[in-house]
Amino acid sequence: MSSVPVPVPVPAPPPRPGRGGPLLSLRGISKSFGAVAALTDVSLDVAAGQVLALVGDNGAGKSTLVKVLSGVHPPDFGTIVFGSRTVTVPSPAAARQLGIATVFQDLALCENLNVVENLYLGRELRGLRLDDVTMEVTSRALLDELSATIPSVRLPVAALSGGQRQTVAIARSLLGDPKVIILDEPTAALGVAQTAEVLNLIERLRERGLGVIMVSHSMAEVKAVADTVAVLRLGRNNGVFDASDATASELVAAITGATDNVVSRRAGRPAAVPPETAVPPPPAGADPDRSPRS
Amino acid sequence: MTRPAAAPDLPAAGPPGERRAAPGPRRALAAASARLRGGDLGIAPVVAGLVVIWTVMQLLNPIFLSSANLTNLALESVPVGVIALGVVCVLLVGQIDLSVGSVSGLSAAVLAVLFVDRGLPAWAAVSAALLLAVAIGWFYAQVHNRLGVPSFVVTLAGLLGFLGLQLWILGSKGSINLPFDSGLVTFAQLHFVPPWLAYTMVAAGALALYATGHARASERRRAGLPAPSWRTPAVRSLALLLGLGTAVWYLNRDRGVGWMFVLFLALVFALHYLLTRTRFGKAMYAVGGNAEAARRAGIDVKAVLTAAFVLCTTLAATGGILAASRLAAANQSSGGGDVNLNAIAAAVIGGTSLFGGRGSAFAALLGVLVIQSISSGLTLLNLDSAYRFMVTGAVLLLAVALDSAARRSRAAHGRA
């Protein structure tokens, strides 16, 4: 990469369409693994009813940031303000307790169990004589609220499509009544129709007044559902954009750190794909076996 | 690879009582046949297998289905059946215990030494044998959890090691007889349920089945969930009453139902409740299905594995104690020979998946009935263990082949 990096470390502007002040604020978050600085002085704000897209190239620190927020890796430095309190997130359980739910890319569903059992896994009602009636009623109501297209909550998860599984995973994270929900590449392994289904779902999460942090690689999706786009590059903030104003090429420039990059050169070629659909290749971490199941 | 094409027929393939589905016997039958075609075989194959085996054995030797032989068959099934219950537990969490035979033999030896040689009361000797088994299960789990040694290897070491311990405990004599008048032996050999009590228990069981079925159906209906019709619990209860009633009547023409068999049934029901109606049971299925998902859901996977190993070795020891009581002796071959493989085979033949996360307590009951029926039938035909091993091996192969085929079919129907 011979071109000049774009120096746009902008301080995070107040979130635009959010209701009230930020619900979750990160200030100066740093995290190193040995000699590798995965995150350096990262700041981020998300408000209730706001969809924040977190974008960046492979190795930009998106996953590390998600893990910091979900309590998998506590940060080395920096503060996390949740609501109006400064908090620490030492463990996944602590994150859930605070009201930060994370849906990881691999969903972590048990295929041999049905939808209700998966939703309530590890927190079944009445442990010594399961209250499956209440669990089934609540599950059905929750999925209906999300307008999920799941035929029966008593089907094993193995019988569901990729989009339906994503819905189940998101619904499960909602059971704890979180304030902020983090979706790690929710559409990475999905087909066209299923992607649309999940994007609708994200909009309904916003309508419920949740703060949504969505990690994504697809500029089209980011533009479609996000309110704000935060770009990470090499473990640092590299700009916060308003999703309705920013163009895809601006975002790509911020992601790659160059106005002249492989994506823009491709876009400039005759008969090249329009920039709106110019999507970086899927992440190296995406497991090719995790294609949508039939 | 796309889902939408297959999606429309999902509701029909679902369990009975779909949303907005009209309940009824025809609907239930259609759903059951759809499940079978989808590869969700449940207990159907093993029940069919049992019917075939019983028919063939009866044709070859009319004594097979006599009251006397079936009474014996029921009692003979219990020790291996109890061990198989434990094997179901470890298979469910996706592990294996190859040492159940050695552990059962070791506990028989411990029981005999403490009870006969040291003169301890029976309860103390039994408790000591069970406690030792708990410690063994805990040890397996620690080695597996902390060192990451596959359970196959840990328990293979246990198979050899605890067989050695059993021989060492028994000493040079190699065999210790339990007194015939002791409670253990009379319980296993001579105590049968009096007919009136047996019928009362059957009636109480049928009544309980009806009451719980009715209560759950009305609870679901009140909550607006699909529920079986009013008739379903009554029909089930009546079927149980007639089926078990006939069985008890038939066995009562000979000695009747042994208390040891009642104990086995009680253990089966207790494990069934634990697996299906408690948080711990769901955790076991979850760990067997996807351990990482279970961990992320906040389940203590290591604790669940520990519990499964401890349940397995404890049930293996219980089986060993019952076997020693029935034989009225513990010797160097206690728990040896085919006990180990029969117990594992019983769990698998009954429908417990070797791949984890699939199976039920009834698998042990049905599987052990298949194995003991083969054994009893061939013994009646004066065929020695050479034939028994070959036939049992063939049946085991058939059962696992069926499991694998069903697994493929489930994958094809999106129900893996």
Side-chain angles (χ1 to χ4, degrees):
Chain A
M1 214 158 287
S2 55
S3 43
V4 190
V6 182
V8 275
V10 187
R16 220 177 49 98
R19 305 165 192 169
L23 182 61
L24 178 68
S25 294
L26 306 184
R27 286 290 170 267
I29 297 289
S30 297
K31 174 76 190 172
S32 301
F33 297 100
V36 181
L39 292 175
T40 315
D41 199 22
V42 171
S43 298
L44 206 64
D45 288 285
V46 61
Q50 182 192 23
V51 177
L52 174 79
L54 192 59
V55 299
D57 216 337
N58 292 337
K62 305 183 300 292
S63 295
T64 309
L65 191 59
V66 167
K67 283 176 179 159
V68 164
L69 277 173
S70 58
V72 177
H73 296 316
D76 298 335
F77 302 104
T79 52
I80 302 174
V81 179
F82 188 74
S84 50
R85 298 186 296 127
T86 302
V87 296
T88 56
V89 194
S91 70
R96 271 198 296 277
Q97 207 104 52
L98 280 172
I100 302 174
T102 310
V103 180
F104 286 99
Q105 200 179 344
D106 65 353
L107 303 186
L109 298 173
C110 288
E111 299 199 350
N112 57 334
L113 299 181
N114 68 28
V115 174
V116 180
E117 287 167 334
N118 266 289
L119 286 178
Y120 276 94
L121 191 58
R123 55 183 159 199
E124 291 89 350
L125 303 179
R126 228 167 51 193
L128 292 178
R129 191 167 63 86
L130 296 182
D131 184 0
D132 30 7
V133 170
T134 310
M135 289 195 279
E136 193 171 330
V137 170
T138 318
S139 306
R140 192 69 252 184
L142 181 62
L143 291 170
D144 282 347
E145 203 179 325
L146 298 174
S147 309
T149 57
I150 290 171
S152 165
V153 290
R154 289 159 84 189
L155 278 179
V157 163
L160 302 182
S161 72
Q164 289 169 334
R165 288 172 196 218
Q166 185 77 47
T167 309
V168 172
I170 292 174
R172 176 165 72 180
S173 69
L174 290 180
L175 266 184
D177 206 13
K179 306 279 192 305
V180 172
I181 182 164
I182 303 169
L183 307 174
D184 192 3
E185 308 218 13
T187 58
L190 300 185
V192 177
Q194 295 169 5
T195 299
E197 204 176 293
V198 170
L199 295 183
N200 288 342
L201 181 55
I202 291 172
E203 280 168 358
R204 280 190 289 277
L205 295 178
R206 169 168 53 196
E207 285 158 22
R208 284 172 66 117
L210 275 93
V212 181
I213 299 176
M214 174 177 91
V215 175
S216 181
H217 266 101
S218 158
M219 291 308 117
E221 281 166 26
V222 167
K223 299 265 306 161
V225 292
D227 302 308
T228 310
V229 184
V231 181
L232 287 184
R233 182 171 133 69
L234 303 177
R236 293 173 183 273
N237 282 104
N238 202 18
V240 175
F241 298 84
D242 191 320
S244 51
D245 300 343
T247 64
S249 51
E250 273 178 318
L251 292 178
V252 171
I255 290 169
T256 56
T259 44
D260 176 29
N261 56 55
V262 62
V263 182
S264 65
R265 279 199 297 278
R266 231 184 113 68
R269 272 190 347 220
V273 284
E276 212 66 359
T277 51
V279 175
D287 185 347
D289 290 337
R290 279 199 65 263
S291 54
R293 307 208 30 155
S294 50
Chain B
M1 277 304 278
T2 48
R3 185 71 217 160
D9 56 34
L10 275 180
E18 290 294 354
R19 255 203 142 205
R20 290 177 282 275
R26 203 182 310 154
R27 174 102 201 165
L29 209 64
S33 91
R35 265 208 308 279
L36 280 183
R37 273 182 280 114
D40 196 354
L41 299 177
I43 60 169
V46 60
V47 170
L50 205 53
V51 170
V52 170
I53 290 168
W54 283 24
T55 312
V56 171
M57 292 300 181
Q58 175 69 9
L59 290 177
L60 293 175
N61 188 336
I63 300 170
F64 181 76
L65 285 183
S66 67
S67 297
N69 191 47
L70 289 186
T71 303
N72 253 334
L73 180 68
L75 284 180
E76 287 294 332
S77 304
V78 174
V80 174
V82 173
I83 301 173
L85 271 181
V87 175
V88 168
C89 293
V90 280
L91 288 182
L92 268 187
V93 296
Q95 305 293 332
I96 183 109
D97 186 346
L98 297 175
S99 71
V100 282
S102 296
V103 170
S104 79
L106 174 63
S107 52
V110 168
L111 170 82
V113 167
L114 292 180
F115 182 56
V116 179
D117 289 1
R118 300 289 160 88
L120 289 185
W123 64 265
V126 169
S127 310
L130 292 180
L131 275 178
L132 177 63
V134 169
I136 291 172
W138 186 83
F139 169 74
Y140 286 163
Q142 295 311 305
V143 174
H144 176 75
N145 288 344
R146 288 174 197 273
L147 306 179
V149 181
S151 57
F152 183 90
V153 179
V154 188
T155 57
L156 189 60
L159 184 153
L160 291 169
F162 294 121
L163 175 60
L165 191 58
Q166 175 190 353
L167 300 183
W168 182 73
I169 284 179
L170 285 169
S172 52
K173 272 189 299 180
S175 176
I176 299 172
N177 291 333
L178 302 180
F180 274 101
D181 54 356
S182 66
L184 286 168
V185 177
T186 49
F187 171 77
Q189 291 190 350
L190 304 172
H191 279 191
F192 290 87
V193 185
W196 66 268
L197 186 55
Y199 289 120
T200 312
M201 288 198 296
V202 169
L207 207 63
L209 183 69
Y210 176 74
T212 52
H214 180 76
R216 290 190 70 180
S218 5
E219 200 188 348
R220 290 182 66 83
R221 211 168 286 119
R222 267 201 307 279
L225 292 174
S229 79
W230 299 106
R231 283 195 304 276
T232 313
V235 169
R236 277 190 189 167
S237 163
L238 209 63
L240 183 81
L241 188 69
L242 289 179
L244 279 189
T246 313
V248 167
W249 167 79
Y250 195 67
L251 292 178
N252 273 334
R253 293 175 49 192
D254 191 62
R255 283 167 294 166
V257 185
W259 274 111
M260 194 163 79
F261 192 72
V262 175
L263 171 71
F264 178 40
L265 286 185
L267 286 173
V268 169
F269 279 105
L271 185 65
H272 179 69
Y273 183 89
L274 182 77
L275 291 178
T276 56
R277 304 287 299 150
T278 71
R279 185 177 295 160
F280 173 73
K282 296 291 177 198
M284 283 181 69
Y285 281 98
V287 168
N290 185 345
E292 175 60 18
R295 191 184 68 75
R296 297 239 200 101
I299 291 171
D300 187 343
V301 173
K302 290 182 174 176
V304 171
L305 288 177
T306 307
F309 277 115
V310 168
L311 265 175
C312 178
T313 50
T314 311
L315 284 167
T318 311
I321 291 167
L322 291 175
S325 305
R326 185 155 168 70
L327 188 67
N331 55 38
Q332 291 180 334
S333 65
S334 290
D338 53 358
V339 171
N340 207 15
L341 296 178
N342 273 353
I344 297 173
V348 175
I349 289 173
T352 308
S353 174
L354 284 166
F355 307 103
R358 227 169 255 284
S360 80
F362 291 107
L365 174 64
L366 294 167
V368 80
L369 284 181
V370 167
I371 289 205
Q372 285 300 333
S373 298
I374 295 170
S375 161
S376 160
L378 295 179
T379 309
L380 286 179
L381 293 173
N382 279 328
L383 295 173
D384 59 10
S385 44
Y387 293 91
R388 189 154 50 85
F389 286 154
M390 287 192 274
V391 174
T392 311
V395 171
L396 175 66
L397 186 62
L398 193 69
V400 178
L402 207 60
D403 178 34
S404 302
R407 202 172 134 86
R408 267 212 304 279
S409 172
R410 280 198 300 272
H413 287 71
R415 293 162 159 268

